[in-house]
Amino acid sequence: MVDVHGNGLVLLLCVPRSGSSLSTVMLQNHSRVFATQEMWFLMNLVDLKMADSRPYGGSAIIRQFYSAMVSDEGFEKACRSFALEIYNGFLEGSGADFIVDKSPRYYYMLEWLDRLFPQSKRIHLQRNPLAIAASYKKVNRHTGEGFELIGSLQSPNLNMKAVDLTLGVLRLNDYFADKHVNAYEVQYEQLVSNPRDEMEKLCAFLGIGYEEGIEQYGRFVDSTKSNMFYSMGVGDPFLSSHQEAHKDSVNNWKKILDPQEVELYCRVMGADLFHRMGYSEQLEEAEQWTGVRYEADPDEEVISRLTRQFSEATGSSWQQGYRMQPVDLASNTPDGNRDNQAANEPAATDPTLAALATIRQLEAALRAADNRLERGYNERERLKVQLASAHSKIQRIKSLIPFGNQISAWASQRKILRGGKS
C-alpha cells in the first residue's frame, strides 16, 4: 500500500511520446505492480484552486475560499489523503505492493510532487528529443489532429505540444540532474533494444524480483489488468498492434521530420541538452543533415516566450533549474522502515478482497469501453446528419436542373426568332 510519505508509489515521469505506454504495459505484468494508463488526476488536484467556470457558478467564491480559508499545508494534506484513497483503492486486494502513476506532463508540478510524496520512486524515461517530435507528427497525422512543429514553436499563443517538446524536456533533465536514491533513468532506445535487461534493472530499483516474460506484453493481453489498461483508450495508438518491443521507431525521425524542422528544433533546445541526455551521436547526425552547428545553450527568446505563455494561461510558476529534493531523513521513522521491509515481501492476498478488486477493475474497463462506444455512436450520428444534409443539397440541385434546361431551351428559341440576336 502507498503510505503518507509515498512509499509504494512509482511516478513514471516523461513528456508525451516518450514511450511511457510501452514501459507501463511491461511493468503491469509483474504480480507485485499495479499500473494502468494515464491517470492525470494529480494535476486536477493541484489545479482545484483555479476554480474554472462551472454551471452552478461561484468560481470567484471558490477561489477566495482556497486563498483565504485553506492553508497550503491543509490543502496539500487533503490532496494527499484523496490521492491515497485512489491509489490504495486500486491496490487493495490485488496482491500488488506498488502502483505506477504514469502521467506525461507531471513536469507541470514537480515541486508539488516532492512535497506531496517525498519518498515515492521516480523513473525518468528519456528519448531522443528529435524522435519525440517525430512521434508527435506521426501520431497526430494518424489521428487527424494535425501537428506542425515549426508553427507550434513560433506561435504567439500557448501550444502545449510545444511546451512538452521544450520546457517539459528541459525541466525534467534539470530535475534529474543529480543522483538520487529514489530516482532511476531509462532510455527508450535501450528499452526497445534490450527489454528484458531493462525490466530486470527496473525491478531491482523497485526492490522486487524480476518475473519471467513480463516484457512480452502480448502474452498478457487477456489478463484483467491488461483489459483495464487497453480500455482506457489513451497513450500510444500503435501499441496494441505489436506483441513486444520493437526498434522500428528508433531512427525514423529523419523520415518524418524535414531539415527545416530539425534545424529550428535543435536551435531552440541547444546542443548541451542532447549531450546531457546521451544523444550526442543523434545531434551530430542532425548537424550533418542540416549543415548547421548548433549553439550550446537553448534559444532564450523562444524559451522565455513559451514560459510566459504557459504561466499566463495556467497561473503557475516554476523554480528555475529545480532539482529533485533530497530524502527527508526525518521521515525515515521505524514505522517507515517497517513499511519498506513489508514492501520487499510479497503481500498475502485475501481472496475476497482480490475478487472485489477484480470486479472493480472490470467495472472500470466496462465504463471506459461504454464511453468509447458512446463517443463512436455520437460521431456516427453526426456523420449521418452531415450525409443527410449533403443528400438534401444534391436533391435541391437536381430539382433545379430541369428548370435550368427549360430556361436554356427558351433562350435558344428566342435567339433564333430574333435572327440570332440576344
Side-chain angles (χ1 to χ4, degrees):
M1 292 297 183
V2 181
D3 67 20
V4 294
H5 303 299
N7 293 299
L9 172 62
V10 182
L11 298 171
L12 180 57
L13 301 176
C14 61
V15 299
R17 315 308 324 152
S18 296
S20 59
S21 293
L22 176 65
S23 307
T24 308
V25 80
M26 293 182 185
L27 281 170
Q28 71 156 356
N29 295 327
H30 198 289
S31 63
R32 296 182 62 193
V33 174
F34 182 92
T36 186
Q37 276 283 16
E38 300 165 12
M39 299 185 189
W40 289 61
F41 80 98
L42 289 183
M43 285 188 291
N44 182 254
L45 286 181
V46 78
D47 282 342
L48 276 175
K49 295 180 179 181
M50 294 178 64
D52 295 333
S53 178
R54 292 175 169 87
Y56 51 78
S59 297
I61 297 173
I62 295 172
R63 287 193 292 270
Q64 176 66 12
F65 169 76
Y66 280 120
S67 63
M69 302 293 292
V70 181
S71 67
D72 289 342
E73 182 181 355
F75 180 75
E76 288 178 9
K77 185 177 180 180
C79 290
R80 184 181 299 109
S81 297
F82 182 90
L84 287 173
E85 286 294 324
I86 297 294
Y87 288 140
N88 289 326
F90 284 125
L91 287 176
E92 186 178 13
S94 68
D97 305 301
F98 294 92
I99 184 166
V100 176
D101 185 345
K102 81 102 173 172
S103 297
R105 291 186 178 154
Y106 270 5
Y107 65 81
Y108 175 59
M109 51 182 194
L110 295 173
E111 296 90 340
W112 198 68
L113 290 177
D114 280 352
R115 295 195 302 271
L116 208 63
F117 294 116
Q119 296 285 0
S120 59
K121 300 283 189 181
R122 274 148 281 187
I123 299 171
H124 183 201
L125 178 59
Q126 298 225 69
R127 188 179 185 182
N128 173 15
L130 288 167
I132 297 174
S135 182
Y136 254 131
K137 188 174 180 179
K138 175 185 175 182
V139 169
N140 282 264
R141 185 169 55 200
H142 170 76
T143 59
E145 296 177 25
F147 173 69
E148 209 276 298
L149 179 59
I150 294 177
S152 68
L153 292 174
Q154 296 178 339
S155 174
N157 302 313
L158 176 67
N159 184 304
M160 276 307 301
K161 292 168 186 174
V163 174
D164 294 335
L165 288 167
T166 55
L167 306 183
V169 174
L170 291 165
R171 189 153 205 262
L172 285 170
N173 275 274
D174 284 339
Y175 182 69
F176 286 102
D178 301 329
K179 295 291 184 181
H180 197 289
V181 66
N182 285 334
Y184 183 79
E185 185 175 292
V186 180
Q187 274 198 337
Y188 171 83
E189 291 79 9
Q190 291 298 319
L191 181 65
V192 298
S193 298
N194 303 292
R196 179 188 174 113
D197 290 347
E198 293 304 316
M199 283 296 108
E200 287 180 349
K201 293 174 186 176
L202 265 176
C203 289
F205 167 66
L206 297 178
I208 56 179
Y210 167 79
E211 292 180 349
E212 189 66 35
I214 59 173
E215 69 280 357
Q216 298 171 10
Y217 55 87
R219 291 174 46 189
F220 299 82
V221 70
D222 293 325
S223 69
T224 302
K225 288 197 290 186
S226 285
N227 285 335
M228 187 174 185
F229 179 91
Y230 287 111
S231 70
M232 290 287 288
V234 294
D236 187 352
F238 305 112
L239 182 66
S240 59
S241 61
H242 299 277
Q243 300 296 304
E244 57 186 356
H246 61 87
K247 297 185 285 185
D248 297 352
S249 299
V250 171
N251 291 313
N252 68 347
W253 54 271
K254 289 177 68 173
K255 299 176 183 177
I256 298 174
L257 301 177
D258 59 49
Q260 292 75 27
E261 292 173 319
V262 172
E263 179 180 346
L264 176 61
Y265 185 51
C266 288
R267 178 174 60 78
V268 168
M269 300 304 288
D272 276 354
L273 175 74
F274 287 87
H275 297 315
R276 280 195 293 157
M277 294 178 69
Y279 295 108
S280 298
E281 183 178 336
Q282 288 78 3
L283 177 67
E284 185 177 351
E285 284 186 69
E287 290 180 335
Q288 291 176 353
W289 191 31
T290 60
V292 178
R293 187 168 183 84
Y294 301 105
E295 298 291 334
D297 297 327
D299 187 320
E300 189 59 37
E301 180 181 349
V302 175
I303 297 302
S304 296
R305 171 171 48 79
L306 289 168
T307 302
R308 184 179 65 258
Q309 290 172 348
F310 181 80
S311 179
E312 290 174 352
T314 65
S316 301
S317 60
W318 295 332
Q319 295 182 33
Q320 188 173 2
Y322 181 74
R323 301 286 203 270
M324 185 174 173
Q325 296 302 288
V327 174
D328 183 4
L329 298 178
S331 65
N332 286 332
T333 60
D335 288 341
N337 290 334
R338 283 201 297 272
D339 288 339
N340 289 333
Q341 182 179 359
N344 289 328
E345 300 174 358
T349 304
D350 184 313
T352 303
L353 290 176
L356 290 172
T358 300
I359 291 171
R360 284 196 297 269
Q361 293 170 17
L362 290 173
E363 287 175 341
L366 183 60
R367 286 195 301 271
D370 284 343
N371 289 334
R372 294 173 67 187
L373 285 172
E374 183 178 355
R375 289 196 298 270
Y377 173 79
N378 291 337
E379 178 65 11
R380 186 183 67 180
E381 292 301 304
R382 185 183 67 81
L383 292 174
K384 285 172 64 176
V385 170
Q386 287 185 348
L387 183 61
S389 176
H391 277 307
S392 177
K393 291 178 181 178
I394 290 172
Q395 292 302 321
R396 287 199 300 271
I397 293 171
K398 286 182 177 180
S399 68
L400 293 173
I401 290 175
F403 180 67
N405 290 338
Q406 291 175 9
I407 293 175
S408 179
W410 176 79
S412 297
Q413 292 173 1
R414 186 170 181 272
K415 186 174 182 180
I416 293 171
L417 292 173
R418 297 187 61 178
K421 298 179 180 179
S422 299

